[in-house]
């Protein structure tokens, strides 16, 4: 799924793919905000994105998609 993170006072969003579920992303976000720590997310290629929770303006979590195989719609 695609995750978009808006950061305060920054014009561009941070966009990454993730294999986490919506619930897991919500848990990580809630924990980072409660602790005042850093939100840490890793993409399928192993790249880690760290965002200070205090600087997060919004997070948009795309739908969990089931990848289709083949050419059928």
């Amino acid at each position: 799924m695609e995750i978009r993170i808006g950061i305060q006072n920054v014009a561009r969003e941070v966009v990454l793919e993730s294999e986490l579920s919506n619930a897991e992303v919500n848990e990580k976000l809630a924990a980072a905000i409660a602790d005042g720590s850093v939100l840490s997310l890793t993409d399928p290629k192993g790249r880690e994105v760290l965002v200070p929770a205090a600087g997060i303006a919004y997070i948009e979590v795309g739908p969990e998609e089931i990848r289709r195989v083949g050419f059928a719609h």
Side-chain angles (χ1 to χ4, degrees), residues 68-73:
R68 296 183 184 175
V69 177
F71 297 101
H73 295 294

Side-chain angles (χ1 to χ4, degrees), residues 8-63:
Q8 295 175 11
N9 303 316
V10 176
R12 293 185 59 181
E13 299 173 319
V14 174
V15 180
L16 73 141
E17 289 292 322
S18 177
E19 295 176 344
L20 297 174
S21 69
N22 287 350
E24 290 171 319
V25 173
N26 288 337
E27 287 174 17
K28 285 182 165 267
L29 176 61
I33 290 173
D35 297 344
S37 62
V38 174
L39 175 64
S40 172
L41 298 171
T42 305
D43 73 2
K45 295 180 182 179
R47 293 181 299 176
E48 187 174 21
V49 175
L50 303 170
V51 181
I56 296 174
Y58 66 89
I59 292 188
E60 179 182 315
V61 180

